[in-house]
Tab-separated table of all heavy atoms in Angstrom:
chain	number	residue	atom	x	y	z
O	21	MET	N	-21.795	3.128	12.662
O	21	MET	CA	-22.799	2.084	12.572
O	21	MET	C	-23.482	1.960	13.928
O	21	MET	O	-22.820	1.976	14.958
O	21	MET	CB	-22.165	0.745	12.218
O	21	MET	CG	-21.570	0.664	10.839
O	21	MET	SD	-20.795	-0.926	10.468
O	21	MET	CE	-22.204	-1.964	10.269
O	22	ASP	N	-24.782	1.798	13.897
O	22	ASP	CA	-25.478	1.583	15.161
O	22	ASP	C	-25.528	0.089	15.481
O	22	ASP	O	-25.104	-0.742	14.679
O	22	ASP	CB	-26.868	2.225	15.152
O	22	ASP	CG	-27.841	1.585	14.188
O	22	ASP	OD1	-27.667	0.397	13.838
O	22	ASP	OD2	-28.798	2.263	13.781
O	23	LYS	N	-26.037	-0.232	16.662
O	23	LYS	CA	-26.050	-1.627	17.125
O	23	LYS	C	-26.791	-2.551	16.175
O	23	LYS	O	-26.342	-3.673	15.924
O	23	LYS	CB	-26.683	-1.714	18.514
O	23	LYS	CG	-25.834	-1.176	19.622
O	23	LYS	CD	-26.540	-1.347	20.948
O	23	LYS	CE	-25.753	-0.730	22.071
O	23	LYS	NZ	-26.432	-0.899	23.364
O	24	ASP	N	-27.917	-2.106	15.648
O	24	ASP	CA	-28.698	-2.953	14.740
O	24	ASP	C	-27.951	-3.231	13.447
O	24	ASP	O	-28.010	-4.346	12.911
O	24	ASP	CB	-30.060	-2.324	14.447
O	24	ASP	CG	-30.979	-2.344	15.654
O	24	ASP	OD1	-30.806	-3.236	16.523
O	24	ASP	OD2	-31.860	-1.470	15.746
O	25	GLU	N	-27.235	-2.234	12.943
O	25	GLU	CA	-26.448	-2.439	11.724
O	25	GLU	C	-25.316	-3.427	11.966
O	25	GLU	O	-25.036	-4.282	11.119
O	25	GLU	CB	-25.891	-1.107	11.224
O	25	GLU	CG	-26.942	-0.172	10.670
O	25	GLU	CD	-26.405	1.213	10.372
O	25	GLU	OE1	-25.560	1.721	11.147
O	25	GLU	OE2	-26.852	1.781	9.360
O	26	VAL	N	-24.677	-3.323	13.113
O	26	VAL	CA	-23.599	-4.254	13.451
O	26	VAL	C	-24.156	-5.667	13.588
O	26	VAL	O	-23.585	-6.628	13.051
O	26	VAL	CB	-22.861	-3.816	14.738
O	26	VAL	CG1	-21.881	-4.889	15.197
O	26	VAL	CG2	-22.151	-2.489	14.519
O	27	LYS	N	-25.278	-5.820	14.276
O	27	LYS	CA	-25.896	-7.142	14.429
O	27	LYS	C	-26.258	-7.728	13.081
O	27	LYS	O	-26.041	-8.922	12.827
O	27	LYS	CB	-27.148	-7.048	15.303
O	27	LYS	CG	-26.859	-6.846	16.765
O	27	LYS	CD	-28.149	-6.750	17.564
O	27	LYS	CE	-27.896	-6.449	19.014
O	27	LYS	NZ	-29.140	-6.308	19.782
O	28	SER	N	-26.795	-6.911	12.205
O	28	SER	CA	-27.157	-7.370	10.867
O	28	SER	C	-25.920	-7.808	10.093
O	28	SER	O	-25.933	-8.840	9.407
O	28	SER	CB	-27.893	-6.258	10.115
O	28	SER	OG	-28.178	-6.645	8.807
O	29	PHE	N	-24.846	-7.049	10.204
O	29	PHE	CA	-23.620	-7.410	9.500
O	29	PHE	C	-23.036	-8.705	10.051
O	29	PHE	O	-22.548	-9.548	9.293
O	29	PHE	CB	-22.594	-6.269	9.576
O	29	PHE	CG	-21.447	-6.459	8.639
O	29	PHE	CD1	-21.619	-6.296	7.278
O	29	PHE	CD2	-20.202	-6.823	9.111
O	29	PHE	CE1	-20.565	-6.490	6.396
O	29	PHE	CE2	-19.146	-7.016	8.247
O	29	PHE	CZ	-19.320	-6.850	6.884
O	30	LEU	N	-23.096	-8.888	11.354
O	30	LEU	CA	-22.605	-10.125	11.959
O	30	LEU	C	-23.426	-11.326	11.495
O	30	LEU	O	-22.878	-12.407	11.251
O	30	LEU	CB	-22.603	-10.027	13.480
O	30	LEU	CG	-21.596	-9.043	14.079
O	30	LEU	CD1	-21.810	-8.903	15.578
O	30	LEU	CD2	-20.170	-9.463	13.762
O	31	ARG	N	-24.739	-11.143	11.341
O	31	ARG	CA	-25.586	-12.221	10.798
O	31	ARG	C	-25.180	-12.543	9.367
O	31	ARG	O	-25.131	-13.704	8.968
O	31	ARG	CB	-27.059	-11.846	10.872
O	31	ARG	CG	-27.687	-12.085	12.224
O	31	ARG	CD	-29.208	-11.996	12.190
O	31	ARG	NE	-29.689	-10.677	11.798
O	31	ARG	CZ	-29.835	-9.640	12.625
O	31	ARG	NH1	-29.535	-9.778	13.899
O	31	ARG	NH2	-30.284	-8.481	12.183
O	32	PHE	N	-24.895	-11.507	8.591
O	32	PHE	CA	-24.420	-11.726	7.222
O	32	PHE	C	-23.152	-12.577	7.241
O	32	PHE	O	-23.028	-13.535	6.477
O	32	PHE	CB	-24.153	-10.390	6.516
O	32	PHE	CG	-23.250	-10.519	5.330
O	32	PHE	CD1	-23.731	-11.038	4.135
O	32	PHE	CD2	-21.911	-10.159	5.408
O	32	PHE	CE1	-22.886	-11.183	3.043
O	32	PHE	CE2	-21.063	-10.299	4.321
O	32	PHE	CZ	-21.551	-10.811	3.138
O	33	LEU	N	-22.203	-12.230	8.107
O	33	LEU	CA	-20.945	-12.975	8.163
O	33	LEU	C	-21.158	-14.440	8.507
O	33	LEU	O	-20.474	-15.312	7.979
O	33	LEU	CB	-19.994	-12.335	9.184
O	33	LEU	CG	-19.434	-10.967	8.829
O	33	LEU	CD1	-18.609	-10.432	9.993
O	33	LEU	CD2	-18.623	-11.003	7.560
O	34	GLU	N	-22.107	-14.713	9.386
O	34	GLU	CA	-22.374	-16.092	9.808
O	34	GLU	C	-22.957	-16.935	8.683
O	34	GLU	O	-22.760	-18.146	8.642
O	34	GLU	CB	-23.337	-16.099	10.991
O	34	GLU	CG	-22.734	-15.577	12.274
O	34	GLU	CD	-23.753	-15.495	13.399
O	34	GLU	OE1	-24.938	-15.821	13.183
O	34	GLU	OE2	-23.360	-15.076	14.502
O	35	THR	N	-23.682	-16.300	7.776
O	35	THR	CA	-24.410	-17.058	6.756
O	35	THR	C	-23.853	-16.893	5.347
O	35	THR	O	-24.279	-17.599	4.440
O	35	THR	CB	-25.892	-16.640	6.741
O	35	THR	OG1	-25.992	-15.256	6.429
O	35	THR	CG2	-26.545	-16.927	8.088
O	36	ALA	N	-22.899	-16.014	5.166
O	36	ALA	CA	-22.393	-15.707	3.827
O	36	ALA	C	-21.603	-16.871	3.243
O	36	ALA	O	-20.879	-17.574	3.952
O	36	ALA	CB	-21.509	-14.463	3.880
O	37	SER	N	-21.749	-17.034	1.950
O	37	SER	CA	-20.933	-18.020	1.232
O	37	SER	C	-19.540	-17.430	1.007
O	37	SER	O	-19.300	-16.243	1.228
O	37	SER	CB	-21.579	-18.340	-0.115
O	37	SER	OG	-21.535	-17.197	-0.956
O	38	TRP	N	-18.619	-18.280	0.541
O	38	TRP	CA	-17.271	-17.798	0.234
O	38	TRP	C	-17.332	-16.669	-0.784
O	38	TRP	O	-16.654	-15.650	-0.624
O	38	TRP	CB	-16.412	-18.937	-0.322
O	38	TRP	CG	-15.739	-19.741	0.740
O	38	TRP	CD1	-16.077	-20.995	1.136
O	38	TRP	CD2	-14.636	-19.356	1.556
O	38	TRP	NE1	-15.241	-21.402	2.150
O	38	TRP	CE2	-14.343	-20.415	2.421
O	38	TRP	CE3	-13.866	-18.196	1.638
O	38	TRP	CZ2	-13.319	-20.369	3.348
O	38	TRP	CZ3	-12.831	-18.146	2.565
O	38	TRP	CH2	-12.577	-19.226	3.412
O	39	SER	N	-18.113	-16.846	-1.827
O	39	SER	CA	-18.167	-15.822	-2.871
O	39	SER	C	-18.749	-14.514	-2.338
O	39	SER	O	-18.290	-13.432	-2.716
O	39	SER	CB	-18.953	-16.320	-4.090
O	39	SER	OG	-20.283	-16.605	-3.745
O	40	GLU	N	-19.725	-14.615	-1.452
O	40	GLU	CA	-20.293	-13.402	-0.860
O	40	GLU	C	-19.265	-12.685	0.019
O	40	GLU	O	-19.172	-11.453	-0.006
O	40	GLU	CB	-21.534	-13.739	-0.038
O	40	GLU	CG	-22.726	-14.144	-0.868
O	40	GLU	CD	-23.884	-14.683	-0.047
O	40	GLU	OE1	-23.634	-15.375	0.964
O	40	GLU	OE2	-25.031	-14.404	-0.428
O	41	LEU	N	-18.495	-13.453	0.777
O	41	LEU	CA	-17.459	-12.844	1.619
O	41	LEU	C	-16.394	-12.154	0.769
O	41	LEU	O	-15.991	-11.025	1.054
O	41	LEU	CB	-16.792	-13.896	2.501
O	41	LEU	CG	-17.573	-14.388	3.700
O	41	LEU	CD1	-16.827	-15.523	4.386
O	41	LEU	CD2	-17.844	-13.263	4.675
O	42	LEU	N	-15.936	-12.833	-0.266
O	42	LEU	CA	-14.897	-12.257	-1.117
O	42	LEU	C	-15.413	-11.037	-1.872
O	42	LEU	O	-14.682	-10.053	-2.044
O	42	LEU	CB	-14.360	-13.318	-2.076
O	42	LEU	CG	-13.652	-14.490	-1.397
O	42	LEU	CD1	-13.271	-15.550	-2.425
O	42	LEU	CD2	-12.434	-14.019	-0.614
O	43	ASP	N	-16.668	-11.076	-2.291
O	43	ASP	CA	-17.280	-9.938	-2.965
O	43	ASP	C	-17.371	-8.745	-2.017
O	43	ASP	O	-17.017	-7.616	-2.374
O	43	ASP	CB	-18.660	-10.320	-3.493
O	43	ASP	CG	-19.324	-9.185	-4.231
O	43	ASP	OD1	-18.750	-8.700	-5.233
O	43	ASP	OD2	-20.435	-8.786	-3.823
O	44	ARG	N	-17.821	-8.978	-0.792
O	44	ARG	CA	-17.940	-7.899	0.188
O	44	ARG	C	-16.561	-7.335	0.529
O	44	ARG	O	-16.393	-6.133	0.673
O	44	ARG	CB	-18.641	-8.413	1.448
O	44	ARG	CG	-18.964	-7.360	2.479
O	44	ARG	CD	-19.969	-6.319	1.998
O	44	ARG	NE	-21.197	-6.903	1.558
O	44	ARG	CZ	-22.311	-6.994	2.274
O	44	ARG	NH1	-22.342	-6.505	3.485
O	44	ARG	NH2	-23.386	-7.556	1.763
O	45	GLN	N	-15.574	-8.213	0.641
O	45	GLN	CA	-14.211	-7.774	0.930
O	45	GLN	C	-13.718	-6.829	-0.171
O	45	GLN	O	-13.157	-5.760	0.120
O	45	GLN	CB	-13.300	-8.997	1.045
O	45	GLN	CG	-11.877	-8.692	1.433
O	45	GLN	CD	-11.030	-9.942	1.422
O	45	GLN	OE1	-11.040	-10.693	0.447
O	45	GLN	NE2	-10.299	-10.179	2.510
O	46	ALA	N	-13.929	-7.210	-1.414
O	46	ALA	CA	-13.506	-6.373	-2.541
O	46	ALA	C	-14.236	-5.035	-2.555
O	46	ALA	O	-13.621	-3.980	-2.786
O	46	ALA	CB	-13.737	-7.122	-3.852
O	47	LYS	N	-15.532	-5.056	-2.288
O	47	LYS	CA	-16.312	-3.810	-2.275
O	47	LYS	C	-15.848	-2.880	-1.151
O	47	LYS	O	-15.741	-1.672	-1.350
O	47	LYS	CB	-17.798	-4.116	-2.135
O	47	LYS	CG	-18.400	-4.694	-3.395
O	47	LYS	CD	-19.858	-5.034	-3.216
O	47	LYS	CE	-20.412	-5.626	-4.508
O	47	LYS	NZ	-21.795	-6.070	-4.363
O	48	LEU	N	-15.560	-3.433	0.006
O	48	LEU	CA	-15.092	-2.611	1.119
O	48	LEU	C	-13.725	-2.013	0.824
O	48	LEU	O	-13.462	-0.845	1.156
O	48	LEU	CB	-15.061	-3.433	2.413
O	48	LEU	CG	-16.427	-3.761	2.996
O	48	LEU	CD1	-16.320	-4.856	4.048
O	48	LEU	CD2	-17.083	-2.512	3.580
O	49	ARG	N	-12.858	-2.758	0.181
O	49	ARG	CA	-11.538	-2.218	-0.198
O	49	ARG	C	-11.691	-1.085	-1.206
O	49	ARG	O	-10.971	-0.082	-1.142
O	49	ARG	CB	-10.656	-3.325	-0.744
O	49	ARG	CG	-10.155	-4.245	0.346
O	49	ARG	CD	-9.156	-5.245	-0.151
O	49	ARG	NE	-8.661	-6.029	0.974
O	49	ARG	CZ	-8.270	-7.272	0.881
O	49	ARG	NH1	-8.298	-7.904	-0.272
O	49	ARG	NH2	-7.835	-7.914	1.957
O	50	THR	N	-12.632	-1.238	-2.130
O	50	THR	CA	-12.903	-0.178	-3.099
O	50	THR	C	-13.418	1.073	-2.396
O	50	THR	O	-12.981	2.190	-2.697
O	50	THR	CB	-13.920	-0.653	-4.158
O	50	THR	OG1	-13.373	-1.778	-4.849
O	50	THR	CG2	-14.253	0.443	-5.139
O	51	ILE	N	-14.332	0.880	-1.468
O	51	ILE	CA	-14.863	2.015	-0.705
O	51	ILE	C	-13.732	2.750	0.006
O	51	ILE	O	-13.646	3.978	-0.035
O	51	ILE	CB	-15.935	1.546	0.306
O	51	ILE	CG1	-17.205	1.125	-0.425
O	51	ILE	CG2	-16.230	2.621	1.344
O	51	ILE	CD1	-18.212	0.398	0.437
O	52	LEU	N	-12.856	2.007	0.646
O	52	LEU	CA	-11.749	2.634	1.375
O	52	LEU	C	-10.819	3.408	0.448
O	52	LEU	O	-10.217	4.407	0.851
O	52	LEU	CB	-10.963	1.583	2.158
O	52	LEU	CG	-11.667	1.046	3.392
O	52	LEU	CD1	-10.918	-0.141	3.968
O	52	LEU	CD2	-11.832	2.141	4.439
O	53	ALA	N	-10.717	2.972	-0.792
O	53	ALA	CA	-9.826	3.630	-1.745
O	53	ALA	C	-10.407	4.926	-2.298
O	53	ALA	O	-9.653	5.806	-2.722
O	53	ALA	CB	-9.502	2.677	-2.892
O	54	VAL	N	-11.729	5.066	-2.297
O	54	VAL	CA	-12.333	6.224	-2.965
O	54	VAL	C	-13.062	7.196	-2.046
O	54	VAL	O	-13.327	8.327	-2.440
O	54	VAL	CB	-13.296	5.776	-4.096
O	54	VAL	CG1	-12.546	4.983	-5.159
O	54	VAL	CG2	-14.465	4.986	-3.548
O	55	VAL	N	-13.378	6.786	-0.829
O	55	VAL	CA	-14.184	7.628	0.061
O	55	VAL	C	-13.278	8.516	0.909
O	55	VAL	O	-12.240	8.071	1.402
O	55	VAL	CB	-15.083	6.754	0.954
O	55	VAL	CG1	-15.760	7.551	2.031
O	55	VAL	CG2	-16.105	6.037	0.106
O	56	ALA	N	-13.698	9.761	1.095
O	56	ALA	CA	-12.923	10.701	1.899
O	56	ALA	C	-13.519	10.913	3.290
O	56	ALA	O	-12.807	11.301	4.209
O	56	ALA	CB	-12.834	12.041	1.178
O	57	ASN	N	-14.795	10.639	3.455
O	57	ASN	CA	-15.476	10.881	4.727
O	57	ASN	C	-14.917	9.958	5.810
O	57	ASN	O	-14.896	8.738	5.656
O	57	ASN	CB	-16.980	10.654	4.547
O	57	ASN	CG	-17.759	10.934	5.801
O	57	ASN	OD1	-17.653	10.200	6.785
O	57	ASN	ND2	-18.554	11.987	5.770
O	58	ASP	N	-14.467	10.553	6.921
O	58	ASP	CA	-13.841	9.776	7.995
O	58	ASP	C	-14.795	8.772	8.637
O	58	ASP	O	-14.384	7.665	8.995
O	58	ASP	CB	-13.267	10.697	9.072
O	58	ASP	CG	-12.022	11.441	8.602
O	58	ASP	OD1	-11.373	10.972	7.646
O	58	ASP	OD2	-11.705	12.483	9.206
O	59	ASN	N	-16.054	9.151	8.799
O	59	ASN	CA	-17.018	8.228	9.411
O	59	ASN	C	-17.266	7.020	8.515
O	59	ASN	O	-17.352	5.886	9.000
O	59	ASN	CB	-18.333	8.947	9.705
O	59	ASN	CG	-18.204	9.951	10.822
O	59	ASN	OD1	-17.387	9.785	11.723
O	59	ASN	ND2	-18.990	11.004	10.760
O	60	VAL	N	-17.390	7.249	7.231
O	60	VAL	CA	-17.596	6.151	6.283
O	60	VAL	C	-16.361	5.257	6.262
O	60	VAL	O	-16.469	4.029	6.267
O	60	VAL	CB	-17.931	6.686	4.875
O	60	VAL	CG1	-18.004	5.553	3.865
O	60	VAL	CG2	-19.237	7.472	4.899
O	61	LYS	N	-15.188	5.874	6.248
O	61	LYS	CA	-13.947	5.087	6.257
O	61	LYS	C	-13.836	4.237	7.516
O	61	LYS	O	-13.410	3.087	7.460
O	61	LYS	CB	-12.723	5.991	6.130
O	61	LYS	CG	-12.435	6.406	4.726
O	61	LYS	CD	-11.051	7.012	4.624
O	61	LYS	CE	-10.723	7.132	3.153
O	61	LYS	NZ	-9.321	7.268	2.890
O	62	ALA	N	-14.214	4.800	8.650
O	62	ALA	CA	-14.143	4.054	9.908
O	62	ALA	C	-15.084	2.853	9.872
O	62	ALA	O	-14.705	1.745	10.275
O	62	ALA	CB	-14.478	4.960	11.085
O	63	ASP	N	-16.303	3.056	9.378
O	63	ASP	CA	-17.257	1.946	9.277
O	63	ASP	C	-16.765	0.887	8.300
O	63	ASP	O	-16.860	-0.317	8.568
O	63	ASP	CB	-18.636	2.449	8.845
O	63	ASP	CG	-19.356	3.220	9.942
O	63	ASP	OD1	-18.925	3.157	11.111
O	63	ASP	OD2	-20.366	3.884	9.618
O	64	ALA	N	-16.239	1.327	7.160
O	64	ALA	CA	-15.743	0.381	6.160
O	64	ALA	C	-14.547	-0.396	6.691
O	64	ALA	O	-14.430	-1.602	6.462
O	64	ALA	CB	-15.389	1.112	4.869
O	65	THR	N	-13.657	0.285	7.406
O	65	THR	CA	-12.492	-0.388	8.000
O	65	THR	C	-12.937	-1.426	9.024
O	65	THR	O	-12.413	-2.551	9.053
O	65	THR	CB	-11.556	0.647	8.660
O	65	THR	OG1	-11.110	1.568	7.659
O	65	THR	CG2	-10.366	-0.018	9.322
O	66	PHE	N	-13.907	-1.073	9.846
O	66	PHE	CA	-14.445	-1.995	10.844
O	66	PHE	C	-15.039	-3.235	10.158
O	66	PHE	O	-14.739	-4.375	10.533
O	66	PHE	CB	-15.503	-1.275	11.681
O	66	PHE	CG	-16.261	-2.159	12.624
O	66	PHE	CD1	-15.647	-2.699	13.740
O	66	PHE	CD2	-17.599	-2.432	12.408
O	66	PHE	CE1	-16.346	-3.515	14.618
O	66	PHE	CE2	-18.309	-3.242	13.272
O	66	PHE	CZ	-17.676	-3.783	14.385
O	67	CYS	N	-15.848	-3.015	9.144
O	67	CYS	CA	-16.481	-4.129	8.439
O	67	CYS	C	-15.446	-4.986	7.719
O	67	CYS	O	-15.542	-6.222	7.726
O	67	CYS	CB	-17.522	-3.612	7.451
O	67	CYS	SG	-18.987	-2.917	8.242
O	68	LEU	N	-14.467	-4.344	7.106
O	68	LEU	CA	-13.418	-5.096	6.414
O	68	LEU	C	-12.642	-5.963	7.395
O	68	LEU	O	-12.323	-7.113	7.093
O	68	LEU	CB	-12.481	-4.150	5.673
O	68	LEU	CG	-11.344	-4.800	4.897
O	68	LEU	CD1	-11.877	-5.786	3.852
O	68	LEU	CD2	-10.477	-3.742	4.238
O	69	ARG	N	-12.357	-5.428	8.568
O	69	ARG	CA	-11.661	-6.229	9.590
O	69	ARG	C	-12.470	-7.464	9.965
O	69	ARG	O	-11.939	-8.574	10.064
O	69	ARG	CB	-11.371	-5.388	10.831
O	69	ARG	CG	-10.582	-6.145	11.905
O	69	ARG	CD	-10.231	-5.268	13.089
O	69	ARG	NE	-11.373	-4.639	13.720
O	69	ARG	CZ	-12.176	-5.248	14.614
O	69	ARG	NH1	-11.958	-6.498	14.957
O	69	ARG	NH2	-13.185	-4.594	15.161
O	70	LEU	N	-13.785	-7.293	10.124
O	70	LEU	CA	-14.641	-8.434	10.454
O	70	LEU	C	-14.681	-9.456	9.322
O	70	LEU	O	-14.649	-10.669	9.566
O	70	LEU	CB	-16.053	-7.956	10.796
O	70	LEU	CG	-16.198	-7.137	12.079
O	70	LEU	CD1	-17.631	-6.652	12.241
O	70	LEU	CD2	-15.772	-7.944	13.293
O	71	VAL	N	-14.757	-8.981	8.090
O	71	VAL	CA	-14.756	-9.894	6.937
O	71	VAL	C	-13.426	-10.641	6.873
O	71	VAL	O	-13.401	-11.868	6.690
O	71	VAL	CB	-15.018	-9.134	5.617
O	71	VAL	CG1	-14.770	-10.028	4.407
O	71	VAL	CG2	-16.448	-8.595	5.584
O	72	ASP	N	-12.319	-9.916	7.028
O	72	ASP	CA	-11.000	-10.560	7.005
O	72	ASP	C	-10.875	-11.617	8.103
O	72	ASP	O	-10.333	-12.707	7.874
O	72	ASP	CB	-9.892	-9.518	7.167
O	72	ASP	CG	-9.716	-8.637	5.937
O	72	ASP	OD1	-10.216	-8.996	4.848
O	72	ASP	OD2	-9.064	-7.576	6.069
O	73	GLU	N	-11.389	-11.297	9.288
O	73	GLU	CA	-11.347	-12.268	10.389
O	73	GLU	C	-12.189	-13.499	10.074
O	73	GLU	O	-11.766	-14.629	10.350
O	73	GLU	CB	-11.826	-11.618	11.689
O	73	GLU	CG	-10.849	-10.631	12.275
O	73	GLU	CD	-11.389	-9.914	13.501
O	73	GLU	OE1	-12.525	-10.209	13.947
O	73	GLU	OE2	-10.674	-9.035	14.018
O	74	GLU	N	-13.364	-13.305	9.504
O	74	GLU	CA	-14.228	-14.440	9.151
O	74	GLU	C	-13.552	-15.329	8.114
O	74	GLU	O	-13.578	-16.556	8.219
O	74	GLU	CB	-15.578	-13.939	8.632
O	74	GLU	CG	-16.538	-15.042	8.234
O	74	GLU	CD	-17.012	-15.900	9.397
O	74	GLU	OE1	-16.969	-15.450	10.557
O	74	GLU	OE2	-17.430	-17.055	9.133
O	75	ILE	N	-12.930	-14.709	7.128
O	75	ILE	CA	-12.226	-15.489	6.106
O	75	ILE	C	-11.079	-16.271	6.745
O	75	ILE	O	-10.906	-17.464	6.464
O	75	ILE	CB	-11.719	-14.565	4.978
O	75	ILE	CG1	-12.914	-14.048	4.161
O	75	ILE	CG2	-10.706	-15.278	4.086
O	75	ILE	CD1	-12.584	-12.960	3.164
O	76	ALA	N	-10.313	-15.631	7.616
O	76	ALA	CA	-9.192	-16.308	8.276
O	76	ALA	C	-9.665	-17.485	9.116
O	76	ALA	O	-9.057	-18.567	9.088
O	76	ALA	CB	-8.417	-15.319	9.142
O	77	VAL	N	-10.751	-17.310	9.846
O	77	VAL	CA	-11.287	-18.393	10.674
O	77	VAL	C	-11.737	-19.555	9.799
O	77	VAL	O	-11.479	-20.723	10.112
O	77	VAL	CB	-12.438	-17.884	11.566
O	77	VAL	CG1	-13.221	-19.027	12.169
O	77	VAL	CG2	-11.901	-16.979	12.649
O	78	ARG	N	-12.398	-19.243	8.692
O	78	ARG	CA	-12.853	-20.319	7.807
O	78	ARG	C	-11.686	-21.063	7.175
O	78	ARG	O	-11.726	-22.293	7.053
O	78	ARG	CB	-13.771	-19.764	6.716
O	78	ARG	CG	-15.112	-19.315	7.255
O	78	ARG	CD	-16.028	-18.922	6.138
O	78	ARG	NE	-17.280	-18.349	6.644
O	78	ARG	CZ	-18.351	-18.166	5.898
O	78	ARG	NH1	-18.347	-18.503	4.617
O	78	ARG	NH2	-19.445	-17.647	6.424
O	79	VAL	N	-10.643	-20.363	6.805
O	79	VAL	CA	-9.452	-21.006	6.239
O	79	VAL	C	-8.818	-21.931	7.283
O	79	VAL	O	-8.477	-23.082	6.983
O	79	VAL	CB	-8.444	-19.952	5.730
O	79	VAL	CG1	-7.090	-20.577	5.432
O	79	VAL	CG2	-8.996	-19.245	4.502
O	80	GLN	N	-8.662	-21.429	8.505
O	80	GLN	CA	-8.078	-22.245	9.574
O	80	GLN	C	-8.941	-23.458	9.886
O	80	GLN	O	-8.422	-24.565	10.088
O	80	GLN	CB	-7.877	-21.408	10.828
O	80	GLN	CG	-6.811	-20.357	10.688
O	80	GLN	CD	-6.766	-19.407	11.868
O	80	GLN	OE1	-7.655	-19.402	12.714
O	80	GLN	NE2	-5.738	-18.579	11.932
O	81	THR	N	-10.247	-23.272	9.929
O	81	THR	CA	-11.160	-24.379	10.218
O	81	THR	C	-11.072	-25.438	9.127
O	81	THR	O	-10.995	-26.636	9.425
O	81	THR	CB	-12.608	-23.863	10.345
O	81	THR	OG1	-12.660	-22.901	11.400
O	81	THR	CG2	-13.577	-24.996	10.626
O	82	ASN	N	-11.071	-25.002	7.873
O	82	ASN	CA	-10.964	-25.960	6.767
O	82	ASN	C	-9.645	-26.717	6.809
O	82	ASN	O	-9.609	-27.922	6.548
O	82	ASN	CB	-11.128	-25.245	5.420
O	82	ASN	CG	-12.559	-24.842	5.166
O	82	ASN	OD1	-13.484	-25.374	5.766
O	82	ASN	ND2	-12.749	-23.883	4.276
O	83	ALA	N	-8.563	-26.033	7.155
O	83	ALA	CA	-7.260	-26.691	7.252
O	83	ALA	C	-7.263	-27.737	8.362
O	83	ALA	O	-6.748	-28.851	8.179
O	83	ALA	CB	-6.164	-25.655	7.500
O	84	LEU	N	-7.846	-27.396	9.499
O	84	LEU	CA	-7.920	-28.364	10.607
O	84	LEU	C	-8.780	-29.568	10.236
O	84	LEU	O	-8.441	-30.709	10.571
O	84	LEU	CB	-8.482	-27.696	11.858
O	84	LEU	CG	-7.549	-26.724	12.569
O	84	LEU	CD1	-8.307	-25.971	13.661
O	84	LEU	CD2	-6.366	-27.465	13.160
O	85	LEU	N	-9.870	-29.321	9.553
O	85	LEU	CA	-10.735	-30.426	9.142
O	85	LEU	C	-10.021	-31.342	8.154
O	85	LEU	O	-10.150	-32.572	8.237
O	85	LEU	CB	-12.037	-29.889	8.526
O	85	LEU	CG	-13.000	-29.233	9.510
O	85	LEU	CD1	-14.155	-28.581	8.746
O	85	LEU	CD2	-13.518	-30.241	10.516
O	86	ARG	N	-9.252	-30.778	7.252
O	86	ARG	CA	-8.493	-31.604	6.288
O	86	ARG	C	-7.423	-32.416	6.993
O	86	ARG	O	-7.193	-33.582	6.648
O	86	ARG	CB	-7.860	-30.717	5.221
O	86	ARG	CG	-8.796	-30.326	4.108
O	86	ARG	CD	-8.038	-29.711	2.953
O	86	ARG	NE	-7.234	-28.572	3.370
O	86	ARG	CZ	-7.597	-27.306	3.283
O	86	ARG	NH1	-8.762	-26.990	2.782
O	86	ARG	NH2	-6.792	-26.347	3.697
O	87	GLU	N	-6.787	-31.833	7.995
O	87	GLU	CA	-5.743	-32.542	8.743
O	87	GLU	C	-6.291	-33.733	9.513
O	87	GLU	O	-5.628	-34.740	9.682
O	87	GLU	CB	-5.056	-31.607	9.746
O	87	GLU	CG	-4.140	-30.605	9.141
O	87	GLU	CD	-3.559	-29.660	10.188
O	87	GLU	OE1	-3.737	-29.906	11.396
O	87	GLU	OE2	-2.949	-28.667	9.782
O	88	ASN	N	-7.506	-33.609	9.990
O	88	ASN	CA	-8.080	-34.639	10.854
O	88	ASN	C	-8.955	-35.643	10.120
O	88	ASN	O	-9.580	-36.478	10.755
O	88	ASN	CB	-8.892	-33.968	11.973
O	88	ASN	CG	-7.996	-33.210	12.923
O	88	ASN	OD1	-6.944	-33.688	13.296
O	88	ASN	ND2	-8.396	-32.006	13.277
O	89	ARG	N	-8.975	-35.572	8.811
O	89	ARG	CA	-9.749	-36.570	8.047
O	89	ARG	C	-8.952	-37.857	7.955
O	89	ARG	O	-7.742	-37.845	7.729
O	89	ARG	CB	-10.044	-36.063	6.641
O	89	ARG	CG	-11.116	-35.022	6.630
O	89	ARG	CD	-11.572	-34.742	5.232
O	89	ARG	NE	-12.572	-33.690	5.286
O	89	ARG	CZ	-12.804	-32.859	4.314
O	89	ARG	NH1	-12.121	-32.925	3.201
O	89	ARG	NH2	-13.729	-31.940	4.431
O	90	PRO	N	-9.641	-38.986	8.131
O	90	PRO	CA	-8.929	-40.282	8.045
O	90	PRO	C	-8.530	-40.627	6.629
O	90	PRO	O	-8.947	-40.165	5.677
O	90	PRO	CB	-9.959	-41.289	8.554
O	90	PRO	CG	-11.250	-40.575	8.703
O	90	PRO	CD	-11.012	-39.128	8.499
């Protein structure tokens, strides 16, 4: 992935809804299961890691917000 593609993907992560994140996560896992090309696998693994991190951060943030509600 080049710099512009990475920047675009990061923008997607910032604005994606839960359903969009989960959909992208599933699609990336499917890609990893069926693709043989090492470059494609590396890009998909990188993107999946970013999606997984975004989901984890959102889960943690939501948990903290629930804990601190009066």
